Amino acid sequence: MGKKLLSAGQLTDALSHYHAAVDGDPNNFLPRFQRATVLIALGRSRSAIPDLDKVLELRPEFYQARVQRGNVFLKQGRFDEAHIDYEGVLRYSPENKDALQQLGVIEPIKRTVMEAKYAMERGDCHSAIEQLTHAIEVAPWDPELRMMRADCYERQGDLIKAISDIKPTTKLINDNTQAFLRMSKLHYEIGELEEALREVRECLKLDQDHKQCHPFYKKMKKLNKQLSAAQDLINKEQYHEAIDKLKKALRTESKNKPLVGKARRQLCHCHLKLGFSQEAIKECNAALSIDENDVDALCDRAEAYILEEMYNEAVNDFQKAKSINEHLHKVQEGLDRAQRLLKQSQKRDYYKILGLKRNCNKREITKAYRKLAVKWHPDNYKGEDKKKAEKMFIDIAAAKEVLTDPEKRAKYDAGEDPLDPESQQGGGGWPQGHGFPFGNGFQFKFHFN
């Protein structure tokens, strides 16, 4: 039955039948050999070794088991033991191709490993990685080779590849808590908090009181809770509360650059949404000092620059964001708007005319308009330059008309002047020399005490 299932590729089911066969006749070498073959196919080579040992104890001349064990030893990096097994095969089968071929591999690969160690000692990680990669192709189940290469990748700053090499060692070595802890710390170092928590939990499954894993887990759990809560508050547009959570997170972790950069970027976003443009710029600067290619931070800083009427800086940030990710819709949209606003700022700026910020409300607009209208009304102006007063009064009235009309203000904020004939397709503006721009049927009256 085991043979039938094995030929059908049902390895797990075949293994259960071979277990029964071995239990039924423990001194029969053939079921043990077949079970070892299935275990190796399932990647459980360490479990196969005892069966192969027993087979050769029961039947020393059964050299096929010796070839199989030699192959396992070779893949595990146990080169001397593999060498002994292949030589043992040749005693019974002098022309055995597998044994002869593998014997020819062992000495060169041992030299390769020694050269890799020498390269690491002199700090030549590039050469060491090349040598170790070749060695791992021959001995993929050797945890020492993988850990050596992981060390090299870590020295080079390639932490993702280091993690990829450490991961298999958790299966190659029983209860490998140190590997789980190391992977957790590497994930944490590159800002992958969820992945770091996942790996440290695996460490705690093996030893719930682990002296290194337990305190590290507690710190990460606290930080993850703070950052997750902040993100939830941002999603709910509760920006003041989110800022408070983010500041607490920065007190929990102030040195991990990717996580600090993420918190600073989110602080920038919150301040921007609250209209605190200068605070937003400060936080985005901090985030970009950690990662200058953070597209979200570049876009948020550009939006804050727009609030500060620093249009050249906004254009520059959006252009850099586009060079990093040209397919992001908000980047192109922001760049187009910033360029329009820059062009617009070189003409008539209604916010500047009224002395207001771009996030001003209607009450502030009306108040500023009334104050300036009194000052610049041609009939009330005390200065000699009546022409200047007339122009200023027209500009003040135009600013009020645009900024108190939600539709016109939205157009203006998007970079289009609804009162400028040049920015209108098919008219809609107010031609020169035709009076004040107060809309159709609007009667302007101003009363003085």
Side-chain angles (χ1 to χ4, degrees):
M1 197 64 196
K3 286 182 181 179
K4 183 179 179 180
L5 292 165
L6 182 59
S7 63
Q10 299 177 39
L11 300 181
T12 304
D13 293 334
L15 182 62
S16 66
H17 283 81
Y18 284 127
H19 284 321
V22 171
D23 291 342
D25 189 0
N27 291 322
N28 188 337
F29 77 95
L30 194 55
R32 285 187 179 277
F33 178 70
Q34 291 167 327
R35 183 169 72 174
T37 302
V38 175
L39 286 167
I40 292 169
L42 288 168
R44 295 163 60 182
S45 58
R46 282 179 300 161
S47 300
I49 293 293
D51 269 342
L52 294 171
D53 290 343
K54 186 65 176 179
V55 168
L56 290 168
E57 179 188 321
L58 294 168
R59 190 68 64 91
E61 72 277 10
F62 188 60
Y63 65 83
Q64 290 90 340
R66 205 172 293 276
V67 171
Q68 193 79 287
R69 190 174 67 178
N71 290 340
V72 172
F73 285 152
L74 182 61
K75 289 184 177 181
Q76 288 179 339
R78 296 160 68 175
F79 302 126
D80 292 335
E81 293 164 277
H83 192 281
I84 293 169
D85 266 347
Y86 292 136
E87 284 191 333
V89 171
L90 295 177
R91 283 197 297 271
Y92 294 99
S93 176
E95 302 300 324
N96 188 282
K97 290 182 179 180
D98 289 337
L100 289 168
Q101 181 180 347
Q102 300 296 57
L103 273 173
V105 168
I106 290 175
E107 288 306 315
I109 208 65
K110 287 171 71 175
R111 287 195 297 271
T112 298
V113 173
M114 290 304 298
E115 289 171 6
K117 290 180 178 179
Y118 292 145
M120 289 184 69
E121 287 175 4
R122 63 177 185 267
D124 185 359
C125 278
H126 179 75
S127 296
I129 287 170
E130 286 185 353
Q131 303 288 353
L132 289 165
T133 299
H134 179 52
I136 289 169
E137 289 173 359
V138 176
W141 302 338
D142 185 344
E144 183 185 358
L145 296 179
R146 291 191 176 274
M147 293 302 288
M148 287 169 61
R149 192 169 67 174
D151 288 341
C152 286
Y153 281 134
E154 190 172 351
R155 289 184 203 176
Q156 290 185 332
D158 196 339
L159 305 189
I160 296 297
K161 287 184 178 178
I163 292 168
S164 297
D165 263 342
I166 299 168
K167 188 72 174 175
T169 70
T170 61
K171 295 182 179 179
L172 296 171
I173 300 174
N174 287 330
D175 298 334
N176 196 352
T177 55
Q178 287 303 313
F180 285 117
L181 176 61
R182 187 173 174 190
M183 284 193 295
S184 180
K185 288 186 174 182
L186 290 174
H187 277 301
Y188 187 72
E189 192 173 336
I190 57 180
E192 295 177 349
L193 192 52
E194 292 289 346
E195 291 81 356
L197 279 166
R198 182 190 66 224
E199 299 299 350
V200 81
R201 286 189 183 110
E202 292 299 320
C203 173
L204 293 173
K205 285 179 184 178
L206 298 172
D207 180 359
Q208 63 180 358
D209 297 317
H210 196 281
K211 291 183 179 180
Q212 294 170 292
C213 290
H214 191 260
F216 189 53
Y217 168 72
K218 286 180 67 178
K219 177 184 177 179
M220 284 195 297
K221 185 180 179 183
K222 178 182 178 181
L223 181 61
N224 188 55
K225 183 178 180 181
Q226 291 168 333
L227 291 175
S228 297
Q231 186 60 59
D232 289 341
L233 290 165
I234 290 171
N235 294 339
K236 295 174 184 176
E237 299 183 1
Q238 297 176 13
Y239 300 114
H240 286 291
E241 295 83 351
I243 288 171
D244 182 58
K245 288 290 183 184
L246 289 166
K247 287 181 177 179
K248 289 180 180 178
L250 287 171
R251 287 194 291 271
T252 302
E253 178 54 82
S254 61
K255 295 180 180 179
N256 183 293
K257 286 187 176 182
L259 293 173
V260 169
K262 177 182 178 181
R264 293 293 182 189
R265 183 213 314 140
Q266 289 178 316
L267 279 170
C268 170
H269 184 74
C270 292
H271 285 305
L272 175 67
K273 289 297 184 180
L274 291 170
F276 304 147
S277 51
Q278 292 183 6
E279 290 85 348
I281 291 170
K282 177 184 175 182
E283 294 295 350
C284 273
N285 285 343
L288 290 165
S289 70
I290 294 171
D291 180 6
E292 64 178 1
N293 294 321
D294 187 328
V295 172
D296 289 328
L298 284 167
C299 289
D300 279 347
R301 187 171 71 175
E303 295 292 350
Y305 279 144
I306 287 174
L307 289 177
E308 288 292 307
E309 300 174 6
M310 299 167 67
Y311 304 119
N312 276 312
E313 291 83 350
V315 168
N316 290 338
D317 272 356
F318 278 127
Q319 285 176 335
K320 182 171 181 179
K322 184 177 180 181
S323 70
I324 298 166
N325 188 346
E326 63 180 341
H327 302 295
L328 202 59
H329 177 68
K330 72 173 183 178
V331 172
Q332 186 60 55
E333 185 183 68
L335 177 59
D336 292 341
R337 181 161 47 85
Q339 288 173 332
R340 287 196 303 269
L341 289 168
L342 175 60
K343 184 177 179 181
Q344 184 187 84
S345 70
Q346 296 164 351
K347 297 182 179 179
R348 183 165 51 179
D349 188 324
Y350 294 133
Y351 290 102
K352 280 187 177 179
I353 289 169
L354 295 180
L356 299 171
K357 293 287 186 182
R358 283 188 166 265
N359 57 352
C360 60
N361 57 40
K362 188 172 181 179
R363 185 181 64 81
E364 291 170 326
I365 294 166
T366 303
K367 182 179 178 181
Y369 164 73
R370 287 173 176 166
K371 181 179 179 181
L372 292 169
V374 170
K375 177 180 177 181
W376 293 102
H377 194 290
D379 294 341
N380 193 47
Y381 185 66
K382 303 300 183 182
E384 297 181 0
D385 193 347
K386 294 291 185 179
K387 293 288 185 182
K388 178 182 178 182
E390 289 177 3
K391 182 181 183 305
M392 285 297 298
F393 190 71
I394 290 172
D395 287 346
I396 293 162
K400 176 181 181 291
E401 179 182 354
V402 170
L403 299 183
T404 55
D405 184 311
E407 184 178 345
K408 290 179 181 177
R409 183 175 179 179
K411 286 183 178 181
Y412 184 74
D413 287 343
E416 174 189 338
D417 187 346
L419 303 183
D420 183 356
E422 291 183 8
S423 67
Q424 305 296 314
Q425 295 183 357
W430 49 288
Q432 295 291 333
H434 285 73
F436 293 165
F438 300 132
N440 294 331
F442 185 87
Q443 298 295 321
F444 179 78
K445 294 181 180 180
F446 199 89
H447 300 282
F448 293 97
N449 293 326

